[in-house]
Amino acid sequence: AAAGARLVLRAANALSEPSIGTIEKVLKGDVVDHWRYCYGVNGQAVSKTVTSEREALPKRKPLSFFKELVPALVSRGYLDRGTKSTQAGTSSYRNSWTTYSITSKGKMACNDTSAAIILPIPAFVRDIERIEEEKRQETLNQLKDAGYDLEHIPKNEVEQGDGEVIRTLKQWHNYINGLKKRENFDRVNQLDDLRSRIVTWRADTAEKYRMAPGAVMEEHLIIRIAYATASLPCGAEVDRDTLVAVGVRSRGLDDLVISLREWTKKTNKSEGARSPSSASMVLADEPYTPPSSWEFAVYKPNKKTGLATWESSYNRFMEGENPMTIAMNPANGKPIQVGTVVKHIQDGLLHGRPVPLKKLAAVVAPPNKEEWDTLSKCEDVTGFDVTKDPNTSGVDGGFFRMKDFLVPVMGNAFVSKDIKERTQEEKSKFNHWCNTLNWYMSLRRSKYTPTFEGGHSLL
């Protein structure tokens, strides 16, 4: 608890006789009113320091953990407790609250990280630590039950029950379990085959070049490649450069690429595949910059990163990374689907950012002329305008939903079906049209006028 206690002292040291509520806000990383800080203290700098130190703690702690340390810090002389009150006008009522100020002993402990902070451990903190240990054991047991060898997981992650490798393995485990709960056993078998192909390649490569299997490819990298490959849109393929970019350096890599492409071709069959005779969209080499942001685009930056959810993927794509590489190695270390990365990049368009559409189209093809016309007719038939507020442009003025918009394409029978009853072919077709609709909405909302081969232009 010493590191957490020092963080509380850090917050109190920056503030002028704060209440517990103000201390909590600073510990959250918020910047409070300037007059609440001590003279000369920069609120932004304090927020950055506290956030950084909190993230550096061995284990993530809830805000309540730090709050419970305050009484112990007072009892041991690191903080002083006081009272302030105000009177409202001529009223006899006085509003009182408790304040805290750091003592000289507290300042010394705050500034000297080598100084020991000895506190009685509150019962609440013991409960938190007990719950954390139970969660750690539950996570490790889940991984062992799923067949993972804990010896191949970094020791510090095993001790914490969390980390980049563990999050990746849990993601795959939860993904498979979700499919089983929905009784999508055909897809489960396909994914088992996909993972088996990568594991077999690793074993063969290890034997051929006399290497340890883990040196050829670590377990969590197998999962990342499998998860990204499984989420590839129809027509997209794994390539050698993408695998090299995520850390696969072994010889024999071309054999793995061939095996993954065979799996993709075998399993990614869509009834919604486009007509080969329809004119393709013509895209320029230079990025398209919308004239303005979409009026209903809402920018919500994350407090920790300062970036919106979509922004990290967008920035990396603009710096030259492949969407599949980004999907396998996202900023938070937890694998995401390739389609999610593509949607993030398309979100950049909605916020007025430039996007090289031709480069993005190499990953997920935009609508051809026939598909564009089909989606345009969907707007006419359903009465949904994809450029309007998504909160009120759906059925009966409700939220816009893709499945409602695509009724003219998929049919009422599909939409009314329980998800467990949908066939793999129906799911593939729906997924194809959802990817196509994402393109259509992004271009319509960013005021892009498409041109198709043969000179067809939609004005």
Side-chain angles (χ1 to χ4, degrees):
R6 186 167 282 108
L7 198 52
V8 174
L9 294 176
R10 183 92 64 206
N13 192 37
L15 298 164
S16 177
E17 297 184 281
S19 65
I20 188 64
T22 303
I23 292 175
E24 284 184 273
K25 288 180 180 178
V26 172
L27 287 170
K28 282 170 60 180
D30 293 347
V31 177
V32 297
D33 298 322
H34 67 89
W35 51 268
R36 295 185 184 275
Y37 294 99
C38 294
Y39 179 77
V41 172
N42 184 305
Q44 294 285 353
V46 172
S47 173
K48 186 176 180 180
T49 299
V50 169
T51 300
S52 175
E53 292 187 8
R54 188 173 174 182
E55 290 178 349
L57 292 174
K59 293 182 180 179
R60 295 179 182 178
K61 303 292 184 184
L63 196 60
S64 54
F65 169 84
F66 301 97
K67 183 178 179 180
E68 289 297 321
L69 293 175
V70 171
L73 288 167
V74 171
S75 70
R76 291 302 172 94
Y78 293 97
L79 291 175
D80 275 337
R81 182 188 287 120
T83 303
K84 278 192 174 184
S85 62
T86 58
Q87 185 171 350
T90 58
S91 171
S92 60
Y93 174 76
R94 298 187 68 83
N95 180 31
S96 301
W97 65 93
T98 302
T99 62
Y100 298 88
S101 57
I102 192 166
T103 65
S104 56
K105 179 180 179 181
K107 286 181 180 290
M108 185 179 298
C110 177
N111 297 325
D112 183 4
T113 55
S114 64
I117 300 178
I118 302 175
L119 298 175
I121 302 178
F124 180 82
V125 173
R126 291 187 186 277
D127 288 341
I128 289 177
E129 292 178 343
R130 175 183 55 78
I131 293 171
E132 286 178 344
E133 178 59 21
E134 289 175 355
K135 287 182 178 179
R136 186 183 80 91
Q137 290 297 339
E138 182 182 359
T139 294
L140 298 181
N141 288 336
Q142 283 180 349
L143 295 178
K144 284 192 287 187
D145 291 343
Y148 298 113
D149 187 346
L150 301 186
E151 292 293 326
H152 295 153
I153 298 176
K155 185 179 179 181
N156 65 313
E157 291 198 16
V158 174
E159 291 174 351
Q160 296 177 28
D162 188 32
E164 184 177 338
V165 174
I166 285 180
R167 284 195 292 270
T168 298
L169 300 180
K170 283 181 65 178
Q171 173 86 354
W172 182 260
H173 176 68
N174 293 337
Y175 181 39
I176 297 295
N177 276 354
L179 292 170
K180 289 179 179 178
K181 288 179 181 178
R182 295 193 295 273
E183 299 179 5
N184 193 351
F185 298 113
D186 287 343
R187 189 59 174 172
V188 171
N189 292 334
Q190 289 176 354
L191 294 175
D192 285 343
D193 175 46
L194 174 59
R195 183 171 178 271
S196 177
R197 284 170 180 259
I198 304 173
V199 171
T200 299
W201 172 84
R202 181 178 71 166
D204 291 345
T205 302
E207 182 179 357
K208 183 176 181 179
Y209 297 106
R210 297 183 180 180
M211 301 169 64
V216 176
M217 184 183 291
E218 294 178 321
E219 186 67 28
H220 72 287
L221 192 51
I222 291 176
I223 299 304
R224 288 186 174 194
I225 293 171
Y227 191 71
T229 302
S231 69
L232 281 174
C234 185
E237 290 184 324
V238 179
D239 60 51
R240 195 178 195 280
D241 291 341
T242 297
L243 297 180
V244 170
V246 295
V248 185
R249 298 287 188 271
S250 302
R251 289 173 286 183
L253 191 54
D254 290 335
D255 293 335
L256 176 59
V257 172
I258 291 171
S259 181
L260 295 178
R261 287 183 174 181
E262 286 176 348
W263 182 90
T264 302
K265 186 175 181 180
K266 175 183 174 183
T267 61
N268 204 352
K269 296 177 180 178
S270 172
E271 288 184 357
R274 55 193 50 206
S275 169
S277 60
S278 184
S280 298
M281 190 178 294
V282 178
L283 299 169
D285 291 328
E286 63 273 8
Y288 167 67
T289 303
S292 62
S293 297
W294 180 43
E295 62 178 316
F296 298 107
V298 180
Y299 184 75
K300 295 181 179 179
N302 181 284
K303 285 186 178 181
K304 291 183 179 180
T305 64
L307 300 175
T309 304
W310 54 270
E311 210 162 0
S312 174
S313 296
Y314 169 84
N315 290 341
R316 291 172 62 181
F317 177 73
M318 294 302 290
E319 290 168 2
E321 286 194 62
N322 185 293
M324 188 172 182
T325 304
I326 299 170
M328 285 190 271
N329 192 26
N332 66 358
K334 186 178 179 180
I336 57 178
Q337 297 193 350
V338 177
T340 302
V341 177
V342 172
K343 185 65 173 61
H344 287 170
I345 298 163
Q346 290 169 338
D347 283 343
L349 275 179
L350 306 187
H351 290 83
R353 305 286 183 87
V355 173
L357 300 178
K358 189 173 184 179
K359 180 181 174 184
L360 186 60
V363 182
V364 179
N368 58 30
K369 181 68 168 59
E370 181 179 316
E371 290 167 337
W372 187 278
D373 289 343
T374 297
L375 294 174
S376 181
K377 288 177 183 176
C378 285
E379 285 199 75
D380 295 335
V381 172
T382 62
F384 301 159
D385 186 339
V386 299
T387 66
K388 299 300 183 181
D389 186 351
N391 291 310
T392 58
S393 60
V395 176
D396 296 328
F399 191 78
F400 176 90
R401 289 182 172 82
M402 283 186 167
K403 70 174 185 178
D404 297 327
F405 182 88
L406 291 171
V407 165
V409 175
M410 299 300 303
N412 284 305
F414 170 81
V415 175
S416 60
K417 267 187 181 182
D418 185 278
I419 191 169
K420 292 180 180 179
E421 297 175 357
R422 295 174 182 174
T423 66
Q424 189 60 47
E425 289 74 22
E426 287 175 329
K427 292 175 183 177
S428 296
K429 178 180 177 180
F430 183 61
N431 184 58
H432 166 79
W433 278 104
C434 285
N435 288 330
T436 306
L437 179 55
N438 276 328
W439 263 108
Y440 179 81
M441 292 192 297
S442 299
L443 297 180
R444 290 264 286 116
R445 291 168 177 176
S446 60
K447 298 180 173 62
Y448 181 83
T449 302
T451 300
F452 298 90
E453 292 173 344
H456 301 286
S457 179
L458 301 176
L459 298 176

